Amino acid sequence: MLFRCKNCGGNIVYNPDKKAMCCPHCDSLDSEEKIEDSQAIVPSSRICASCGAPIELKEHTSATKCPSCGTYMVVDERVQGQFTPHLIIPFKISKDKAKELLHKEFDKRPFTPMGFLSNASIDKMEGTYVPFFMYDYKSDMNYRAVGTKVRTWSDSRYEYTETSYYDIIREMNANFNKVPVDASIEMDDKLMDLLEPYNYHELEEHQDKYLSGFMAEKYNMGEKSLTPRAEAKVKRDSHAMISETVSGYATVTQAQESIVPTKLAVDYALLPVWEYVFNYLGKDYKFQVNGQTGKVLGETPVSKPRVVGYGVTVFGMITILGFLIRMAMLVL
Ligand SMILES: [Zn+2]
Ligand SMILES: [Zn+2]
């Protein structure tokens, strides 16, 4: 499907600044008309409804852009039926804002190669919706430990030490709402964890129009296969919750800790990420901007000739430091 402007026939996209569907051609707001796919469904390609060019589809792509004319389209059967998203956080950071955030983060770093944030290069950045499962869990926690507190005082003859022993017992229950786990094979799990947190209270009921103007991927890992990752997060956070309540002791000897997570519900959600890929000396460097909060991730490629000079300087400094420490020890 695609969204067409009723006024001028142009391709309408979702505009994060205006929080509305906006026609980039005639500037009209909310004048979109949804045009459903009428072509016979071929899994790996589409014909662009605007210009007639063929559009290759990757296996999991659910929204993309025509490489010939730039029209944004949604792959109907990949956002319907079992693939209908329940929830979505629409993009809040616009492309211009995402560019600005990358500049702010990387402009001052040393050793970035020429062209890294040039307009021609950074303009290729695309917004992508990443598929997630959001798990609701109940967690039953049981914790036993022995803690000690030590008091010391003295008089003219003795120094006294008093050790008190405490039985620490914690029985807690907690509900965890919307624990996110990304459901994309292509997305690096660690990266997604680093892009968090999203503000999950801004999750909305999914609407197809939010995808217009962006790339998207349908889930390609099953909810069941991702359950262990959700459970591990619940256990980790439960453990942290208990630990927070045990404080003020000189020593704590844990006798028992049991955390039993129970899955209550699962939602399929799409979360927004800006992605910028920069190729330097044959290697792709990836940068991400959280499409809701603006958090920036990514390692700048290192420009080789300059780094050698830097390495030598650092080595020199380390040598001098070591020497100074040895001198100090001799004096002692
Ligand atoms: Zn228009
Ligand atoms: Zn086209």
Side-chain angles (χ1 to χ4, degrees):
M1 78 186 74
L2 61 84
F3 293 86
R4 194 172 274 161
C5 177
K6 282 186 221 161
N7 296 334
C8 75
N11 179 213
I12 292 206
V13 293
Y14 180 76
N15 184 315
D17 289 330
K18 299 193 167 118
K19 293 194 174 75
M21 292 296 270
C22 183
C23 177
H25 311 282
C26 72
D27 282 337
S28 57
L29 289 180
D30 294 323
S31 62
E32 81 275 11
E33 173 183 27
K34 191 199 254 192
I35 312 284
E36 304 258 359
D37 253 349
S38 57
Q39 311 159 24
I41 289 172
V42 185
S44 60
S45 69
R46 283 293 181 282
I47 300 297
C48 175
S50 289
C51 75
I55 304 173
E56 290 300 316
L57 295 181
K58 280 198 196 164
E59 197 184 347
H60 308 299
T61 301
S62 58
T64 189
K65 179 174 150 181
C66 169
S68 307
C69 72
T71 295
Y72 285 95
M73 57 160 290
V74 179
V75 185
D76 291 26
E77 76 276 14
R78 294 181 185 176
V79 293
Q80 292 167 357
Q82 61 166 318
F83 294 115
T84 310
H86 306 136
L87 301 166
I88 187 166
I89 294 178
F91 271 88
K92 231 177 152 176
I93 303 279
S94 66
K95 187 172 189 172
D96 284 343
K97 179 77 188 165
K99 286 182 194 172
E100 199 187 302
L101 288 166
L102 280 175
H103 272 292
K104 217 171 129 193
E105 179 75 25
F106 295 109
D107 273 355
K108 290 191 193 114
R109 292 207 190 175
F111 319 134
T112 48
M114 292 280 287
F116 165 56
L117 289 178
S118 70
N119 270 335
S121 181
I122 203 172
D123 213 44
K124 292 184 203 128
M125 177 163 68
E126 292 286 354
T128 300
Y129 282 104
V130 180
F132 272 74
F133 284 109
M134 315 286 277
Y135 297 81
D136 292 347
Y137 266 92
K138 172 168 87 85
S139 175
D140 295 304
M141 301 164 250
N142 225 302
Y143 174 87
R144 300 264 184 287
V146 175
T148 61
K149 285 185 182 176
V150 180
R151 196 163 68 97
T152 55
W153 68 95
S154 53
D155 57 23
S156 54
R157 294 170 63 196
Y158 296 110
E159 191 174 292
Y160 301 91
T161 302
E162 175 196 82
T163 306
S164 313
Y165 290 80
Y166 296 85
D167 280 327
I168 307 168
I169 299 172
R170 299 284 182 271
E171 273 164 24
M172 296 165 71
N173 308 94
N175 280 343
F176 291 81
N177 294 324
K178 308 277 175 291
V179 177
V181 179
D182 84 82
S184 164
I185 292 170
E186 269 186 43
M187 263 289 163
D188 186 335
D189 295 345
K190 272 196 218 109
L191 249 168
M192 287 319 296
D193 286 347
L194 286 172
L195 268 180
E196 282 183 52
Y198 282 86
N199 299 323
Y200 295 106
H201 61 269
E202 287 182 348
L203 278 163
E204 291 181 26
E205 204 171 300
H206 172 79
Q207 294 184 58
D208 291 334
K209 67 175 189 182
Y210 288 136
L211 304 186
S212 187
F214 303 97
M215 309 284 138
E217 204 182 283
K218 69 171 174 58
Y219 69 82
N220 46 81
M221 294 167 91
E223 175 267 302
K224 287 208 172 63
S225 71
L226 295 172
T227 296
R229 276 185 61 203
E231 228 170 81
K233 281 189 178 190
V234 170
K235 283 188 169 170
R236 183 196 64 196
D237 293 349
S238 298
H239 174 76
M241 279 174 72
I242 297 172
S243 306
E244 259 176 39
T245 71
V246 181
S247 64
Y249 298 99
T251 64
V252 174
T253 311
Q254 188 183 310
Q256 184 213 333
E257 182 183 78
S258 118
I259 295 168
V260 182
T262 312
K263 185 160 71 180
L264 302 176
V266 188
D267 283 307
Y268 169 33
L270 298 176
L271 302 185
V273 179
W274 283 102
E275 275 198 293
Y276 170 47
V277 181
F278 179 72
N279 189 284
Y280 181 67
L281 299 178
K283 186 173 183 265
D284 278 345
Y285 292 86
K286 291 184 182 173
F287 301 84
Q288 283 85 8
V289 179
N290 181 315
Q292 181 198 34
T293 65
K295 183 175 178 184
V296 175
L297 284 186
E299 282 298 320
T300 39
V302 172
S303 159
K304 285 208 172 103
R306 292 171 69 189
V307 113
V308 172
Y310 188 72
V312 169
T313 320
V314 169
F315 184 70
M317 280 162 62
I318 288 170
T319 316
I320 291 163
L321 260 178
F323 180 66
L324 282 177
I325 288 165
R326 265 203 307 280
M327 288 285 287
M329 284 168 70
L330 276 174
V331 172
L332 280 171

